[in-house]
């Protein structure tokens, strides 16, 4: 376009070259940004330009100004929170989705995007071994998927109380606050699972059960919870935002027991399924309940088609073409590629766990069903916090923490497609060095 400083072909080549170089050299950068709050903003012009600037200047400033302020989620030694990866097919599909700039609020505005989204969610359901026939669509995040599911539960049951475990993700509490639905938390057992025997569902609209809790990746007893929900006519929402991707591997499907009875299920493809942020997959067996909660057609959106409009299933009207990247990921990795990645992460987590167990003075603090290891060094919380801080400040690796039984516990979350055994070993050595430096 003549009125911008950009030439798509010329600058596109440079941007793709930038992306390829970045990903090739990613392992040599410090994982955690080594800057102070405000530092990056202070280096940027405080006012917008009057005249068009060349795109090359944007790339230059990305390199020179922004790069030191980036924490690198694509880094093979990113082990914090739930590590993830955007692999090449998803990156390229994002470029194409932005090129198309499709806005799928009704079928007519994006027929192919709408139909591809439904098909891709059917594909993913099949890959994960979910029941056939569920209605699937994509939201931006699990937080929004859970808001949608709980609003549907309220419409479906006419009740308001939400029940979840003490270890459910904070997005459940946020959803309850936003929807003005009271929240009741159920205690957990000694393996951090919801105590199904403590469920009291008389006034409940929904139970949120988690497969793969954020703190320890514990698995709530979904079969028992589903049975209690069935008896009480309560909606069961399963939050498998992280761990649901594991079900692409049949040998990890024990953790899916009972999920076939769920009324809704969320799995984030942007957590452990190689898909760039953001791509949260929400399925339900009651699409009519989501429509009851969200469908609203003003005159200016009325059309003769009776086809599904996916904005009828969640809070947002405008919808990005997110299915394109998920479709690209499923096609270009295939079932076998995704299985290989997940199996390798679980294998690496098991290796790390075995090193911790074999080293005097260190211990594992929670069962490890997937690819996250919870561990600590004997001694005080402050000493463990200092170990983590030293490793993170070194730039060598990035870990985050949780609290288990009141104690500060380190988490090593493996989820990046580039992570090798050498990365995990380097990180274990860095942790041991940091512990002797204290
Ligand atoms: C179990 C679980 N549920 C929900 C969420 C929220 O995910 P999102 O960031 O997509 O809203 C997370 C985030 O880590 C999570 O671990």
């Amino acid at each position: 376009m003549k009125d911008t400083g950009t030439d798509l072909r010329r600058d596109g080549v440079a941007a793709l070259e930038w992306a390829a170089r970045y990903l090739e050299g990613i392992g040599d950068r410090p994982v955690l940004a080594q800057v102070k709050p405000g530092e990056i903003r202070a280096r940027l012009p405080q006012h917008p330009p009057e005249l068009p600037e060349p795109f090359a200047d944007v790339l230059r400033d990305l390199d020179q100004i922004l790069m030191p302020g980036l924490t690198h989620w694509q880094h093979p030694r990113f082990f914090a929170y739930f590590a993830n990866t955007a692999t090449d097919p998803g990156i390229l599909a994002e470029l194409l989705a932005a090129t198309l700039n499709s806005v799928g609020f009704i079928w007519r505005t994006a027929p192919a995007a709408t139909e591809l989204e439904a098909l891709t969610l059917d594909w993913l359901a099949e890959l994960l071994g979910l029941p056939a026939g569920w209605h699937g669509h994509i939201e931006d995040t699990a937080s929004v998927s859970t808001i949608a599911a709980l609003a549907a539960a309220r419409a479906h049951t006419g009740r308001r109380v939400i029940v979840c475990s003490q270890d459910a993700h904070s997005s459940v509490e946020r959803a309850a606050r936003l929807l003005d639905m009271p929240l009741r938390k159920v205690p957990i057992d000694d393996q951090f699972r919801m105590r199904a025997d403590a469920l009291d569902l008389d006034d409940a609209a929904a139970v949120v059960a988690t497969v793969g809790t954020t703190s320890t990746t514990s698995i709530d007893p979904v079969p028992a919870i589903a049975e209690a929900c069935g008896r009480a006519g309560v909606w069961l929402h399963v939050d498998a935002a992280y761990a649901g991707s594991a079900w692409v591997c049949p040998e990890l499907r024990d953790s899916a027991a009972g999920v076939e009875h769920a009324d809704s299920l969320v799995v984030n493809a942007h957590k452990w399924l190689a898909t760039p942020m953001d791509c949260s997959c929400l399925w339900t067996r009651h699409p009519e309940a989501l429509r009851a909660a969200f469908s609203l057609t003003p005159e200016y959106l009325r059309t003769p088609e009776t086809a599904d409009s996916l904005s009828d299933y969640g809070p947002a009207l405008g919808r990005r073409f997110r299915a394109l990247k998920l479709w690209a990921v499923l096609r270009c990795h295939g079932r076998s590629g995704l299985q290989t990645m997940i199996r390798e992460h679980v294998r690496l987590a098991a290796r790390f766990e075995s090193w911790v167990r074999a080293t005097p003075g260190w211990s594992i603090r929670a069962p490890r069903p997937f690819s996250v290891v919870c561990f600590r060094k004997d001694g005080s919380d402050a000493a463990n916090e200092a170990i983590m801080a030293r490793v993170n400040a070194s730039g060598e690796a990035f870990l985050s923490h949780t609290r288990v039984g009141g104690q500060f516990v380190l988490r090593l979350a493996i989820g990046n497609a580039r992570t090798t055994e050498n990365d995990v070993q380097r990180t274990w050595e860095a942790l041991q060095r940091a512990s002797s430096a204290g």
Side-chain angles (χ1 to χ4, degrees):
M1 273 169 94
K2 287 278 173 292
D3 53 351
T4 78
T6 309
D7 176 277
L8 186 62
R9 234 181 224 107
R10 185 198 59 215
D11 294 318
V13 168
L16 270 185
E17 178 56 29
W18 187 96
R21 255 192 302 118
Y22 172 72
L23 293 175
E24 279 155 18
I26 181 80
D28 300 330
R29 295 177 185 271
V31 191
L32 179 67
Q34 310 288 318
V35 286
K36 304 240 159 9
E39 217 176 302
I40 297 297
R41 180 166 181 157
R43 287 186 214 155
L44 290 160
Q46 299 306 302
H47 302 285
E50 210 57 55
L51 297 173
E53 295 183 334
F55 189 81
D57 289 6
V58 176
L59 271 186
R60 184 201 58 212
D61 290 350
L62 174 59
D63 262 331
Q64 293 179 2
I65 306 179
L66 299 183
M67 202 48 87
L70 282 167
T71 292
H72 298 287
W73 282 75
Q74 296 274 57
H75 198 295
R77 289 186 300 287
F78 186 110
F79 295 121
Y81 316 109
F82 283 125
N84 62 14
T85 329
T87 59
D88 296 354
I91 294 171
L92 295 172
E94 280 288 61
L95 171 69
L96 300 175
T99 304
L100 295 165
N101 201 26
S102 166
V103 186
F105 43 77
I106 50 178
W107 178 86
R108 169 176 289 205
T109 63
T114 305
E115 294 182 16
L116 186 70
E117 187 165 325
L119 175 90
T120 306
L121 276 267
D122 285 354
W123 276 18
L124 185 54
E126 187 181 320
L127 286 169
L128 302 185
L130 303 176
W134 283 5
H135 183 281
H137 79 280
I138 302 177
E139 293 289 344
D140 53 1
T141 56
S143 303
V144 172
S145 291
T146 293
I147 289 168
L150 295 176
R154 181 172 58 186
H156 191 71
T157 62
R159 295 194 289 270
R160 306 181 60 80
V161 173
I162 301 167
V163 177
C164 67
S165 96
Q166 282 168 355
D167 269 13
H169 188 260
S170 57
S171 55
V172 181
E173 190 161 340
R174 271 209 202 174
R177 206 195 288 174
L178 181 78
L179 295 165
D180 197 21
M181 294 170 76
L183 179 68
R184 200 161 56 228
K185 291 199 178 171
V186 180
I188 49 177
D189 66 13
D190 58 359
Q191 303 211 346
F192 321 108
R193 304 171 297 200
M194 183 191 286
R195 274 188 39 208
D197 63 319
L199 280 173
D200 163 12
L201 298 181
D202 285 351
D203 55 351
V207 175
V208 181
T210 311
V211 176
T213 55
T214 315
S215 178
T216 63
T217 71
S218 62
I219 302 165
D220 286 341
V222 180
I225 297 168
E227 205 184 307
C229 285
R231 274 197 309 272
V234 170
W235 183 288
L236 172 60
H237 176 59
V238 175
D239 177 354
Y242 153 69
S245 299
W247 302 334
V248 76
C249 300
E251 73 275 19
L252 294 171
R253 282 199 194 146
D254 284 357
S255 60
V259 170
E260 69 278 12
H261 301 301
D263 297 290
S264 54
L265 164 71
V266 58
V267 176
N268 276 359
H270 67 241
K271 276 195 172 28
W272 200 11
L273 211 67
T275 309
M277 182 68 190
D278 50 5
C279 189
S280 178
C281 303
L282 177 64
W283 289 273
T284 180
R285 67 168 75 247
H286 303 293
E288 75 290 349
L290 278 116
R291 286 197 298 271
F294 294 107
S295 179
L296 195 160
T297 310
E299 187 51 40
Y300 44 82
L301 295 181
R302 224 169 270 288
T303 60
E305 295 95 27
T306 53
D308 222 12
S309 290
L310 294 180
S311 64
D312 282 346
Y313 296 86
L317 179 67
R319 315 182 72 257
R320 306 204 302 118
F321 193 176
R322 293 192 185 91
L324 192 64
K325 62 185 167 186
L326 182 56
W327 189 53
V329 165
L330 298 186
R331 291 185 62 175
C332 300
H333 286 271
R335 186 197 299 265
S336 67
L338 296 170
Q339 286 176 338
T340 302
M341 178 187 78
I342 291 204
R343 284 180 182 140
E344 176 64 357
H345 291 162
V346 174
R347 187 189 76 81
L348 292 176
R351 290 287 284 159
F352 183 83
E353 180 182 359
S354 72
W355 300 334
V356 174
R357 283 192 191 282
T359 308
W362 294 82
S363 57
I364 295 293
R365 308 310 294 177
R368 181 202 47 80
F370 305 107
S371 66
V372 175
V373 185
C374 294
F375 63 103
R376 91 196 289 279
K377 175 101 198 276
D378 293 352
S380 66
D381 283 359
N384 276 277
E385 201 166 345
I387 292 170
M388 186 178 82
R390 273 184 219 113
V391 170
N392 290 346
S394 74
E396 176 83 0
F398 178 30
L399 287 84
S400 61
H401 76 283
T402 185
R403 243 172 220 284
V404 176
Q407 276 188 328
F408 187 97
V409 163
L410 294 135
R411 283 169 83 266
L412 184 97
I414 300 179
N416 190 288
R418 289 181 192 84
T419 302
T420 62
E421 187 161 331
N422 181 44
D423 291 309
V424 179
Q425 197 165 355
R426 270 176 74 170
T427 302
W428 177 226
E429 285 160 12
L431 283 158
Q432 289 174 298
R433 273 199 309 278
S435 93
S436 17

